[in-house]
Amino acid sequence: MKKNATALLLASTFVIAIAAIAGSGHTIEGEVPAPPAIGATLEDFTLPDADGKEHSLTSLKGKNGSVLIFVAVKCPVSNAYNERMEQLAQDYKARGINVIGINSNVAETAEAIKAHAAANNLTFPILKDAGNKIADRLGATITPEVYFLDAGNKLLYRGRIDNAKDPSQVNSSDLRDALEAALAGKPIAKTTASAFGCTIKRA
């Protein structure tokens, strides 16, 4: 009886502690929602660019879909992909798929995002996700992390761009493979691949 009472007290204390952390506004492990399932349709959303102009997903996507990439100003892994992300944007824009960057890091300001894009010749739009609302909606935790959506905003692929930070070590171009399959009207062989990089610093 005494053991049961002790166990109940410990369990109650644990629940109260978790509730206190959750109410503090700090993200705890497991608090980020799970990402949408492959095949799920994402609702439209609106975010501002670095100049404060609002853009909806509908207004930015291409006729064949969009690639959302969670990016960062200071993450060395995200920065290692700058050229590859820009090349993706250039290669697929003419084929009806637009790349859209999203920055959800709480400490990275619109001014920093704009300066970073200019310094690294990033021409695709990069939106500021204040309060990490879209990162939470998509279950995004890493920079860089990608979400490939078709023209109807159905999620077709989620995860990494490819398998290596060092371009010379890449032997699995997961995102490009997914894009090529979709454009050819074929099933995507690999619909998820674990992203790697820096943790999104949430509000």
Side-chain angles (χ1 to χ4, degrees), residues 59-68 89 92-94 96-100 124-125:
S59 70
L60 292 178
K61 70 182 179 181
K63 66 178 182 179
N64 292 321
S66 55
V67 175
L68 310 180
Y92 288 96
K93 186 174 183 179
I97 297 175
N98 289 347
V99 168
I100 304 164
F124 55 88

Side-chain angles (χ1 to χ4, degrees), residues 75-87:
C75 172
V77 183
S78 183
N79 282 326
Y81 277 90
N82 284 335
E83 285 188 23
R84 276 172 279 180
M85 291 189 289
E86 178 61 23
Q87 194 62 55

Side-chain angles (χ1 to χ4, degrees), residues 168-184:
S168 69
Q169 301 299 312
V170 172
N171 55 33
S172 180
S173 297
D174 309 275
L175 175 58
R176 281 184 178 270
D177 289 347
L179 295 172
E180 291 298 328
L183 287 168

